[in-house]
Structure formats: structure tokens, C-alpha cells
Amino acid sequence: MENRKSELIEEIKKNAKEISYPLIAIIISFIAGGFLIYAFGKSPMVAYKSLIQGSLGDWNKFGETLVVVTPLILTGLSVAFAYKCGLFNIGAEGQFIIGSISAVWAGWAFNGLPPVLHVFLTLAVGAAAGGIWAGIVGWLKAKVGSHEVINSIMMNYIALNVSNYLTMTFLNEEAKAFTHEIAQSAKLWRFAEAFAQFKYSRLNIGIFIALAAALIAYYILNKTVRGYEIRAVGYNPHASEYGGISIAKNIVLTMVISGMFSGLAGAIQIAGVQYRANNLFGFTGYGFDGISVALVGNNHPIGIVLSGLLFGILQKGGSNMQLNGIPKEVVGIIQGIIILFVAANFVRIVFDKIKENRHLKQKTIREGK
Amino acid sequence: MLKRVLVLLLVLTLVFAGFTGCAPQPAPTEPTPQPTPTEPTKPVLSFGMVTDVGGLGDQSFNDSAWAGLQKAGTELSVEPKVLQSTKQDEYVPNLGSLAGTVDLSVAVGFLFEDAMKTAADQYGDKKFGAIDISTDLAKANVMQVNFKEHEGSFLVGVIAGMTTKSNVVGFVGGMDFPLIQRFQVGFEAGVASVNPKAKVLVNYTGAFDNPDKGKEVALTQFQQKADVIFHASGACGIGVIQAADEKGFWAIGVDQDQAAVSKNNKVLCSMIKRVDVGTYTIAKAYADNTFKGGVVELGLKEEGVGYSDGGNNLTPELKEAAEKYKTAIIEGKVVVPVTIDDMKAFKPVEIK
């Protein structure tokens, strides 16, 4: 019991340290962003105030922020999960789109099912479609060794065009550039139905599904044999193969699971937020943002939930900044700086340097004596 | 090393403290001029627009809509606000955010239909302007402006009918639905009015975003002897104009003046849709207290549609004819058909 407790404290300490580095990087990024806003001739105070007000100002805004956060967490998990196996899934975007359009189909075609079953089916179809989409990339990597980065980028374009084709033909709403609306029974429950505070936000239980997905990802990776194998392949494929772990099998499986997270994100976006898919002019950006979310979240499920929240606040609050005359690009710049600082591991390097210096100094003092 | 880092941090803090010290200064200066414009009788006007994902700088609807609001803003000395969307699913919250800040929120494009409905319900006391939403939303606080595209298309039809030498002209549409059919029948009626012998080839690309497809269709029409081709197909039209550049036939642009798209100046003229007039009309109605919910259609009379000659390709003769028909339409002597059924019943009227 005592042992368990100290173990837990140790774990928390370790995690706190892990979190502190990106946290400091984020604070520095905001300060740097402040300089930039100042350089544009605007007040950083006004900018950041409107950022917070626009994203957390009232319940509806908070709800809308969580609407943005939901897919970001899921695509972030998707990228991170693949990363644990040493794979770089740039295809989260395509898996998201395929998940969306498949969810539209399931939500529209199976009209008449009982609500709970229909919602479940819609999400499952979306997740499965994303899984298959990513699985193709994984299979190609495992079988012929073609690089997953190239293939998943290509698959993004295929997904975009397939989705647009289906939107304009098979699923098309007469005379419109979007699809049919999904059936009432396929829609996710919205907070607006029970809480007056969220009346004008599209917040739905998708956010809980995303949080559950984060727990599931954590569980699979850290508490199961399969997760151990996946991580082993990620650390050192040759050593794990020597140890009897199949590289090919784990690569395909990882990609499928990774794709399922993105596909689920797309399905939730349909079943909970949009109820239909539009003819896309370009990528939605959720998949690409997922890469940043995973990076800032240090590829850790809990970190991803937090960094998803951060990116959601930035994106939602960013539109409010525009209303106060701050160019919309500023938010992108701050995001970029955050990623730059986190990715370069700038804070850790500086801290380690300081520590090393102190150590050296002490050593010289001791030796001098 | 430690010392250097410390010094760096110190400098940073000093600089940062320096600008945080002066940063809030704009805030206190803002309230000071406020007392001056308070003539208590005049209500404080405020309006703005939400762009679609194209954003400002698209040289198309967004820019045009913004120009209209800016014009109204200068006249009324109000600074209009703009909120640019980065994702399609942002339309609902963005329109809501804007409506929370200003009295009149304008949005352009039929993709805003759902967003408009939600925001109009949420902010029942605020006013909204919608451009190009063809469905009547039937909301008392939403003023919808649509355009009589058929009237503008009629005029370019007149120009095409007089220009063609082969007596074959072409129409390339984006998607085959009522809105685009208006362009088609207006054009057909215009051609028939001045050149009854001419044949109008009609094809639809099935898309608005595929220049290759537009080019393909235009080349097919060219092979069938078409020498003037009018397109109403969004970005597919870029392909139509490319084909015109390559093969040397005339293309007719749509929505905006498209002369600049052509390398060899093969855009004869363009059927223009004055989105700026639309947003200006809404802002003006709001300022004059004549704002009313419902659908308003802008045609030739209101200068909501028209033709433009950015490439200087229209002869005085063509312009004269187009102007004659324009007057005739405004005076009601010519009734331009709107639907394909109207077109079947259309009898060309010769205007001397």
C-alpha cells in the first residue's frame, strides 16, 4: 500500500516535469506572440483578452470551443498512436474526410433504426472507414515498404476527391453543393437539449467520446501486450523482430487503430455538429492540426487532451480577435511559434545546459579543493 | 552561461514590461473621442460581414461584398467589421459571434443558409443580411438579396448573338439546377432576340471547381462550331477561358469581370453580378430604417446585374444594342424568361 502510494507520487512528479517543459514553451510563445501583435500596432492585452473572451467568455462560446476541441483530440490521438509505432501518419486529414462521408452515408441510408443503435452504427462506420483508409497505407508499408508519409499524403487527396464526388452524386441533396442531412436517429445528443446555457452551441456528447478515446489509447499503449509490442516496434523494429514481434502485423494494426481515431473524429463532426457533409474546397485542416496537437501534447494521451484544448481555444478565440481588428493570421503565427518551441525542445535544452553548467562548476570547485 | 541566460531574461522582462506599460494606453485614448459624436437622436450604427473560406482577397464574392460594405461604411462613417472563416463548419459560430458584436451581420453565399437560420433565431433583436440564399427563410430580421441573373445573361446573349459568325454559340453551366438554369435561359433568350438563326449549345460540367472539365466541355462545343461561349460554372470557367485562349474563340465571363483571366484577351465581355450593390443595399436599408425581412431581387433596374467590358472588345454597335435591350427590359417591354418552361413560351421581341 505504502509502496503503491510512493509509486503514484513518483509518477505524478515525473508527469509534472514532462508537462512543465511544453507549458513554459507555450508561455514564451504567447509572450513572443505579444511582441508580434505589438509590432502590428495593436495592443497584445486587447488581443489576448478577446482571445479568452471569444473562446471561454460564456457557456455558448465555451461549448463551441469544445466542439472544435473534440476532433482535435481525436486526430491528435491518431497521429500520436501511429508515432508510438514509429509511423508518421500525415493521412489523418484523409481519414477524417473519409470518416465523415461514410458517416453521412450510414446516417442517411439506415433511416428508421432505433436512435441509440443508429448513432452507434454511424460512428462505427465512420471509424471503420478511417481505419480501412489508414490500413491501406500500413499494409503498403508492411508489404512493399513504401513510405507511409508519401502514401498517406496521396491518400488525403484521394479522400478529398472521393468525398466531393460522393457529395455531388450519390449523397447529393437536390440542387445543393452538400449531402442529404442524416436521419434524426443518427444525431448525437446535444447539450442544448438539456442545458439552457448551451442553447446556441453545438456541443454534443462527442467530447466525452473523445476523452474516452484518450483513455482507451492510453490503456492500449501502456497496459496491454499489444501496446507493448507496438511501442517496441517503434523504439527498435529490428530488436523487436529478434524478440519475436512481427513488424508487419504491428504496423498494419497501428495504422488501422490510428485511422479509426481520425475516422471517428470525422463521424462525430457529422453526427454531432454538421449533420451533413459539404462539397469541400480544400482540406478541413483537422487532420493537419492533429499533427501539431500530438506534437505539443508530447504524444501522450493526457497531453493531447490538454493541447487539443489549447488549440481549440486559439482557433475559436481567434475569430473573436479578428472582430477587434487583429489579423486572422496572428493566431496561426502563435500556433506556429508554440510548435516551434515545443518541437525544438528549446526549454529542455536550456534547462539541461544550466544543470550541466552547475554540475561542472561544482565539480571544478570540488576538484580545486 | 547561467549569467548570460539571466541577463537575457532580464532584458526580455524589461522590454516586455516596457511595452505592457504602454500597451494599454490605446484603451484610455479610445473612450476620449466617444463623447464627441454623440448626437443623441442618431442611433449608433454598427455592421459587419462574415466571409466564407475564400476569405478577403479572393477577387470574387468576398471582396465584392466587402467593397459594398466599405462604401456604406464610408458614407455613414462607420467602420465595418469583418470576420474571416477558416473552416466551413465555422459559419454558424462565426455569424453568431459577429451578431453578438454588431447590429447588422451580412454573409454571402448559399452555404450560409443553416448558419443564417440559427443566428437569426439566436439573436432575434439583431438584423441580418444574406446574399444568394435562394430559399426564402421567412425571418423578420433577415433581409435576403438575390440577383436576376437571367437579365444580365440576356444582355450577354444579345452580344453573343450579334458577334457569332458561325451562328453557333455555347453555354457551359456548372450544375444543372434552377439557379444556373436562369443563366442558361436568359442567355438563350438574348441570342434568340437578335439572331433567330443561331443555335445555342448547352452543356453542364456537373461541378464548379474543375477547370479541366470546363475546358473539355468548351473544346467540345468549339468542335461543334461554337465561336462564342458563355459560362456560368465558377472555377470551371477558367478552363473555358483557357480553351478560348488556345483556340481563339470568344469566351464570356461571369459574376466578375473576367477579362484579366484571359492571356490573349479572348474574354468578349462578362455578365457581372454586383454583390457590392447587394451588401450596400442591405447596409443602406438598415441605416435608413427601411430594413425589412424577406427576399429582395436586384436586376438591371437596380444595377444588381449587368455586363462589363474589361477587355475593351465590344464594338460601339454591340454596346448600343445591349443598352437598347437593357432599357427595354427596365421598361418592361421585354420580359426575360426565368425557367426552362418560360423559355419555351418566350417570343423574341425585336427592339429597334
Side-chain angles (χ1 to χ4, degrees), chain B residues 63-96:
Chain B
D63 277 351
S64 183
W66 182 233
L69 280 191
Q70 275 186 318
K71 189 180 160 207
T74 327
E75 281 175 23
L76 304 163
S77 40
V78 176
E79 181 94 25
K81 300 208 169 202
V82 62
L83 185 45
Q84 304 193 51
S85 306
T86 48
K87 291 192 172 89
Q88 283 190 5
D89 50 28
E90 272 181 2
Y91 294 166
V92 178
N94 278 355
L95 198 58

Side-chain angles (χ1 to χ4, degrees), chain B residues 91-324:
Chain B
Y91 294 166
V92 178
N94 278 355
L95 198 58
S97 303
L98 184 67
T101 323
V102 298
D103 285 341
L104 169 72
S105 310
V106 181
V108 180
F110 62 92
L111 284 175
F112 275 95
E113 189 173 324
D114 286 346
M116 207 40 101
K117 272 189 244 168
T118 316
D121 281 342
Q122 180 177 0
Y123 294 94
D125 54 335
K126 296 290 178 76
K127 296 187 166 55
F128 293 88
I131 306 266
D132 255 359
I133 296 180
S134 48
T135 350
D136 188 353
L137 302 177
K139 300 237 185 269
N141 59 340
V142 182
M143 181 168 168
Q144 293 172 246
V145 168
N146 292 330
F147 296 94
K148 295 181 180 166
E149 291 91 353
H150 45 286
E151 292 189 353
S153 305
F154 185 94
L155 295 189
V156 296
V158 168
I159 293 167
M162 289 174 70
T163 308
T164 179
K165 297 210 167 60
S166 61
N167 278 342
V168 181
V169 296
F171 172 80
V172 178
M175 268 170 235
D176 195 357
F177 53 67
L179 177 68
I180 304 301
Q181 285 164 4
R182 285 175 164 211
F183 292 84
Q184 180 201 326
V185 294
F187 183 67
E188 284 177 327
V191 173
S193 301
V194 289
N195 190 347
K197 280 180 291 178
K199 198 170 113 193
V200 182
L201 305 170
V202 175
N203 289 102
Y204 282 88
T205 57
F208 288 106
D209 55 356
N210 191 344
D212 291 340
K213 189 82 191 162
K215 190 171 177 180
E216 190 187 313
V217 172
L219 288 177
T220 316
Q221 291 187 344
F222 173 71
Q223 273 166 2
Q224 292 169 271
K225 300 248 173 336
D227 59 354
V228 184
I229 298 179
F230 173 45
H231 89 88
S233 60
C236 291
I238 295 170
V240 175
I241 295 169
Q242 272 174 6
D245 274 343
E246 278 172 27
K247 299 290 177 188
F249 60 83
W250 288 112
I252 297 179
V254 80
D255 292 344
Q256 309 276 312
D257 189 276
Q258 291 194 306
V261 179
S262 167
K263 285 194 201 85
N264 303 337
N265 195 11
K266 295 310 283 183
V267 173
L268 181 59
C269 58
S270 301
M271 192 306 259
I272 53 170
K273 206 159 137 173
R274 299 287 302 273
V275 175
D276 54 337
V277 174
T279 52
Y280 178 77
T281 308
I282 295 172
K284 201 77 184 139
Y286 157 72
D288 299 347
N289 257 329
T290 52
F291 184 97
K292 219 167 69 212
V295 181
V296 177
E297 286 215 321
L298 302 183
L300 287 174
K301 194 173 160 195
E302 298 83 7
E303 301 211 322
V305 292
Y307 67 95
S308 72
D309 181 23
N312 259 330
N313 290 322
L314 296 184
T315 59
E317 192 194 356
L318 287 172
K319 273 188 189 162
E320 196 190 326
E323 288 301 326
K324 261 193 314 202

